[in-house]
Amino acid sequence: MDTRIAMFDEAADYLRSHTTVRPEVAIVLGSGLGKLADRIEHPDVIPYAQIPHFKVSTATGHKGNLIFGHLGGRPVVAMQGRFHYYEGYTMQEVTFPMRVFSRLGVATVMVSNAAGGLNPDFRVGDLMIITDHISFMPNPLIGKNIEEMGPRFPDMTTVYSRRLRQKAFAAAEAMGVTLRQGVYVAETGPTYETPAEYRMYHQLGGDAVGMSTVPEVIVARHCGMEIFGMSVITNCAKDLSDTVLNDGDDVVRAADQAADTMTELFTRIIAE
């Protein structure tokens, strides 16, 4: 057996021994989006620091807990904060939770993030369904392939589930909420983008930009999981000037204002 699988199983076995919940859906909560965790019923909260081989979240707005419970009538596990490449972790460490979720039997992964708006039609507080991505980050599958978990060359043409996107639009219509959709651009950070970079990313076809999500999505895809992604637009390129600066706390505040709507949407999407 690949020694990496032994590490995934050690973490998965630890989690099974600390909760009776057997999750079908995993949810990754980005900067300022941890409110969804409050909606999880009968939660079992397990800090990352207690889980074998898990790292610790250091980014603003990331509490660093796994929360097991039920949402929308289904068993779920939520990451209350994620790991980032810019924190100094390897791509294998960043995506380690996805491997563990796969070993736990999770079939669906829902990822969220706070992102900068590249599309000039976007406004702060908009929710964007991710339809595709462009990555400027190292690929987490570089190295020896884990044959037991997925193919050497995973197909990436239909990464973001059309079925789940359709459910999201139906839920939004029932709620009276307007959703955006578009392409998410992933870059390493931790610096925010320059105005020239914003223009370049938009010219390449991007609608939003951030520093996460894609590595997790690639590994979830490698493991054969169904994927849904959503960005909360927390700042916009068109609003930048010589006197307006990006700030991490501002991003968290903007995400927090949209978190209630996103929480309700995710709950409705998860419900059968």
Side-chain angles (χ1 to χ4, degrees):
M1 177 187 290
D2 191 311
T3 57
R4 292 170 292 180
I5 290 183
M7 294 172 63
F8 306 148
D9 285 342
E10 184 179 354
D13 288 344
Y14 176 88
L15 294 171
R16 289 191 192 98
S17 70
H18 284 74
T19 179
T20 59
V21 177
R22 298 297 178 256
E24 299 172 359
V25 180
I27 308 164
V28 183
L29 302 173
S31 299
L33 297 171
K35 277 187 175 181
L36 184 144
D38 298 333
R39 288 280 295 273
I40 294 175
E41 299 174 352
H42 309 297
D44 292 326
V45 181
I46 305 174
Y48 294 161
Q50 297 178 7
I51 306 170
H53 311 296
F54 260 62
K55 298 303 176 181
V56 178
S57 294
T58 66
T60 303
H62 293 251
K63 291 187 177 181
N65 296 312
L66 275 189
I67 302 178
F68 290 81
H70 287 77
L71 186 71
R74 298 178 66 191
V76 302
V77 57
M79 289 186 70
Q80 201 173 24
R82 54 158 50 93
F83 311 127
H84 301 81
Y85 186 61
Y86 66 70
E87 293 175 85
Y89 297 132
T90 67
M91 279 299 177
Q92 287 67 42
E93 291 169 335
V94 167
T95 58
F96 185 83
M98 297 300 110
R99 298 296 190 188
V100 175
F101 294 155
S102 177
R103 302 305 276 184
L104 288 174
V106 167
T108 302
V109 173
M110 303 178 71
V111 293
S112 67
N113 58 60
L118 302 172
N119 190 315
D121 293 333
F122 287 2
R123 302 290 183 270
V124 171
D126 281 352
L127 297 175
M128 185 193 86
I129 291 177
I130 302 174
T131 59
D132 205 345
H133 68 242
I134 299 170
S135 181
F136 290 91
M137 305 178 83
N139 194 303
L141 301 183
I142 290 173
K144 183 181 178 182
N145 186 45
I146 307 176
E147 297 291 342
E148 296 91 333
M149 301 192 80
R152 169 76 283 187
F153 302 106
D155 178 73
M156 299 296 288
T157 55
T158 55
V159 178
Y160 299 92
S161 168
R162 180 176 287 105
R163 182 184 75 87
L164 293 178
R165 281 187 274 150
Q166 289 173 341
K167 287 192 70 173
F169 279 115
E173 184 177 4
M175 294 168 59
V177 172
T178 299
L179 295 180
R180 305 288 192 173
Q181 61 180 333
V183 175
Y184 177 81
V185 178
E187 50 94 20
T188 63
T191 53
Y192 287 108
E193 301 74 25
T194 68
E197 287 168 338
Y198 270 119
R199 291 193 296 272
M200 177 189 72
Y201 291 147
H202 183 50
Q203 289 172 357
L204 290 175
D207 295 288
V209 60
M211 306 172 191
S212 67
T213 301
V214 169
E216 297 152 340
V217 165
I218 289 173
V219 170
R221 177 69 166 181
H222 184 254
C223 293
M225 292 186 272
E226 188 174 23
I227 300 161
F228 176 81
M230 177 167 281
S231 295
V232 177
I233 305 304
T234 53
N235 50 67
C236 291
K238 63 182 175 54
D239 296 331
L240 295 180
S241 70
D242 291 339
T243 58
V244 178
L245 304 178
N246 277 315
D247 178 82
D249 291 334
D250 287 342
V251 166
V252 171
R253 281 191 290 271
D256 184 69
Q257 292 174 8
D260 290 335
T261 302
M262 193 199 76
T263 293
E264 181 61 25
L265 273 169
F266 273 40
T267 302
R268 293 186 183 216
I269 294 167
I270 289 169
E272 293 290 359

